[in-house]
Amino acid sequence: MNEIEHPRSLWRETALPAPAPVMLSDAVNADIAIIGGGYTGLNAALRAIERGLHPVVLEAAEIGWGASGRNGGVVSTKFRVSLSDIARHHDLEIARRMHRIGHDAMDCVERNIEELGIADAGFARTGNLRCAHNDLAQTRLVAEAETARDMFGDTSLTVLGADQVREETGSADFVGGVLSTHAGVIHPLSYARGLAAAVHADGGKIFEHSAVLARNKDGDRAVLTTAQGEVIARHVLIATNGYSDITAATAPVRGTVIPFRSAMIATEPLGPKLRTTLMPHGRSYSETRRMMRWFRPAGDRMLFGGRGAFGREDSASAFQALERALKNIFPQLAGTAITHRWSGLVAMTMDSLPQVGVLDERTGFALGYNGAGIALSSLMGSRVVDLMLGDKPDLGLIERDGPKPIPFYFLREPAVRTVAGWYQFLDAIGR
Ligand SMILES: Cc1cc2nc3c(=O)[nH]c(=O)nc-3n(C[C@H](O)[C@H](O)[C@H](O)COP(=O)(O)OP(=O)(O)OC[C@H]3O[C@@H](n4cnc5c(N)ncnc54)[C@H](O)[C@@H]3O)c2cc1C
C-alpha cells in the first residue's frame, strides 16, 4: 500500500476519541442549518445555541475532516495582510479594528477551551516566534512590531536578534525574529472534536457522512438535501472553506476562494539531546518566506509544515521537498526519520482576507482564512451568526456585501502553480 496514497496524520492517531457518527436519514427541522463541520461551522452552532436557536450541522465526511483536523495547531492573531499595509491602503481606524479582531479571535479560542471544558485539546499559550530568513524580512518584521506597538499599544511583541532566535529554535538559519506572546498551540483535531462534543451537550445536532447535495427554497424556508434525508431550516450557513467545491450546494461561494494544498510532516520521537536543544521553550515558530514553513514540537516529535504540495492531490515530491526544507533548517535532524505525512486544503482569497457576509436574507457564508484560520474561523463562525440575525458585529474589512468571485476562476490550478513558482523565485533571490 503506497504511503502517499494513504498519508498518515499524527493528529488522527493522537486525538480525543470521536463519538460514533450519526448520518442524516430523515427530514429534520432546524432554525439554522450549517454546511461544514470544521471550526467555522461548529463555532456557528455554539453561537446559535447561545442565541436560543436550534442548529443542525451537516458534514460531508467527519467532524474535523477538512483543514480543522489537519492543520499545524498554531493559534495566532495573524492575518496574511500586514496591519501597516491595511493602514496604508485604508486608514488607521480600520487597521486598529482589524488588530482588535485578531486579538478577539485568539481570546475566542482561549474562552472556548476554558468554558467548554476542552482542556484535553492541549491548548497552551506558548507564544509564536516569527523567524526572519533574511535582513529584508527582519526589517519588515521589526517595522510591523513597531507599528503594532505605536499605533495600537500592542505590547505582546518583542524583537529578537539572531543569537536569541538560534537559542529559541536550535537553528542557525535565521537573522532575527519577533516573538508574540498572544499566541499558542493546540491539538487541532481534538479541538474540533471538543467543539462538537459541546454542540451535542448543548442540544445541537450534528450529522456526519451527510454531504449537502442541493440547497433549495420552499417559501420562507431553505431545504438542504443529502443522500438520505433533508433539513428544513430558516437560515443556512455555508462554512466549507477550502472544500467548497465538493457539491453544487455551495456553488455561490466556490469561486470566491482558491484551494491551496498545505502539507505537514512529523519526525520520529527525538532523543533527549535534540529535545533540549530544539525549540526548548515549546512555542510555535514560522518563517518569513512567502512559501512559508512553520514548525513546533508535538510531544517528543517535531512537526514541520509548509505550502509545497501544489496539486489537487498529495504528491511524494512535495513531501520530499518539505523534508529537505526541514533538514536544511535543522541539519542536526539529518538522520531522523519522518514517520507521518499528511496535507489539506486552505482557502486563499484575492485580497488575502477572509470573506464573511450574507447571500440573501436566509443564507450566510464565512470562509477564506488564507491558511491562518484556527483563531479567525472560531471567531467568524460566531460573528457570522450575529450578522445573519441582523446584528452588526465588527467584521472590519472581512465583511462582504456578497460573495466576491475571483476573476478567471477556471484558471485557478495553473494560476496557483504560477504564483507558487513566482513566490519560490522571490524567496530564492531573497526578496
Ligand atoms: C496543513 C494545514 C496546516 C494549517 N496550519 C494552520 C495553523 O497552524 N494555524 C492556523 O491558524 N491555521 C492553519 N491552517 C488553516 C486552518 O486549518 C483553517 O483556516 C480552518 O481549519 C478553517 O476551518 P473551516 O471550518 O472554515 O474549514 P474546514 O475545517 O476545512 O471545514 C470545511 C468542512 O466542510 C465540509 N464540506 C464541504 N462541502 C460540504 C457539503 N456539501 N456538505 C457537507 N459538508 C461539506 C468538508 O468536509 C470540511 O470538513 C492550516 C490548514 C492546513 C490544511
Side-chain angles (χ1 to χ4, degrees):
M1 191 175 281
N2 181 326
E3 201 176 16
I4 296 307
E5 285 171 8
H6 299 273
R8 202 177 146 197
S9 154
L10 182 67
W11 302 135
R12 292 189 74 82
E13 287 179 16
T14 55
L16 293 175
V22 177
M23 196 191 284
L24 181 69
S25 58
D26 210 339
V28 168
N29 286 298
D31 294 318
I32 174 167
I34 297 164
I35 310 178
Y39 305 142
T40 305
L42 296 167
N43 277 279
L46 289 166
R47 181 64 182 153
I49 293 167
E50 266 175 17
R51 304 258 336 220
L53 302 180
H54 173 63
V56 167
V57 177
L58 293 162
E59 165 53 48
E62 295 157 12
I63 288 301
W65 179 83
S68 298
R70 305 172 187 230
N71 62 65
V74 176
V75 192
S76 79
T77 60
K78 191 175 128 252
F79 289 102
R80 253 180 78 85
V81 196
S82 80
L83 291 168
S84 6
D85 280 348
I86 292 179
R88 208 171 22 256
H89 295 304
H90 299 273
D91 59 46
L92 188 55
E93 182 46 31
I94 192 79
R96 211 173 259 134
R97 283 168 55 199
M98 295 298 282
H99 175 261
R100 185 68 259 151
I101 288 170
H103 284 262
D104 286 352
M106 176 70 198
D107 294 342
C108 173
V109 175
E110 289 196 280
R111 217 175 26 252
N112 279 344
I113 296 296
E114 269 173 42
E115 291 177 6
L116 305 175
I118 324 181
D120 291 347
F123 175 78
R125 200 192 238 255
T126 55
N128 170 262
L129 177 58
R130 289 201 72 202
C131 307
H133 71 288
N134 64 22
D135 290 333
L136 182 61
Q138 174 71 354
T139 307
R140 287 181 181 145
L141 278 186
V142 172
E144 189 64 8
E146 284 169 356
T147 305
R149 189 193 55 216
D150 300 345
M151 290 188 186
F152 318 123
D154 185 343
T155 54
S156 66
L157 301 171
T158 311
V159 175
L160 304 187
D163 290 347
Q164 289 166 300
V165 173
R166 184 178 306 125
E167 185 275 324
E168 279 270 353
T169 58
S171 169
D173 214 42
F174 304 109
V175 303
V178 167
L179 174 64
S180 158
T181 51
H182 204 189
V185 292
I186 202 164
H187 187 304
L189 185 54
S190 290
Y191 177 46
R193 289 182 178 171
L195 291 170
V199 172
H200 275 302
D202 290 349
K205 288 205 174 78
I206 298 178
F207 295 103
E208 296 173 89
H209 304 290
S210 303
V212 177
L213 304 174
R215 195 170 47 83
N216 292 303
K217 287 182 193 169
D218 183 7
D220 64 349
R221 304 271 141 167
V223 181
L224 303 188
T225 311
T226 69
Q228 296 180 29
E230 60 182 27
V231 176
I232 302 116
R234 252 192 304 142
H235 299 280
V236 173
L237 172 65
I238 303 177
T240 45
N241 206 44
Y243 296 85
S244 297
D245 56 0
I246 294 183
T247 74
T250 52
V253 302
R254 173 188 302 170
T256 66
V257 291
I258 297 188
F260 206 107
R261 190 158 285 277
S262 197
M264 308 258 344
I265 53 178
T267 67
E268 64 183 329
L270 303 177
K273 181 155 175 260
L274 285 171
R275 282 214 303 274
T276 46
T277 51
L278 297 183
M279 307 174 288
H281 305 290
R283 307 185 199 283
S284 61
Y285 307 82
S286 46
E287 49 147 47
T288 43
R289 285 183 175 83
R290 280 179 182 74
M291 294 306 286
M292 190 184 74
R293 282 99 179 223
W294 61 92
F295 42 97
R296 57 167 281 196
D300 48 10
R301 301 168 189 269
M302 183 189 236
L303 293 191
F304 192 85
R307 313 258 156 75
F310 309 135
R312 195 63 205 159
E313 309 299 333
D314 283 326
S315 79
S317 60
F319 286 121
Q320 282 154 8
L322 211 49
E323 185 171 342
R324 272 197 305 279
L326 163 73
K327 293 183 176 178
N328 281 338
I329 296 177
F330 297 102
Q332 51 287 53
L333 294 178
T336 302
I338 301 301
T339 51
H340 297 75
R341 300 169 176 83
W342 70 97
S343 74
L345 295 175
V346 301
M348 310 305 271
T349 58
M350 280 297 276
D351 62 3
S352 302
L353 287 169
Q355 309 217 359
V356 174
V358 291
L359 285 176
D360 54 47
E361 73 283 3
R362 73 171 71 77
T363 319
F365 60 91
L367 73 170
Y369 304 102
N370 289 273
I374 301 177
L376 266 180
S377 62
S378 298
L379 184 72
M380 291 304 136
S382 170
R383 290 201 177 165
V384 71
V385 170
D386 293 342
L387 184 74
M388 289 166 70
L389 295 181
D391 292 351
K392 300 227 166 300
D394 193 6
L395 296 166
L397 294 171
I398 295 171
E399 183 168 354
R400 314 292 159 128
D401 52 11
K404 293 278 167 286
I406 291 170
F408 304 110
Y409 178 71
F410 64 95
L411 290 174
R412 67 197 174 282
E413 287 189 11
V416 164
R417 280 195 295 277
T418 308
V419 170
W422 173 242
Y423 281 179
Q424 277 172 327
F425 170 70
L426 291 175
D427 287 337
I429 62 168
R431 298 304 304 277

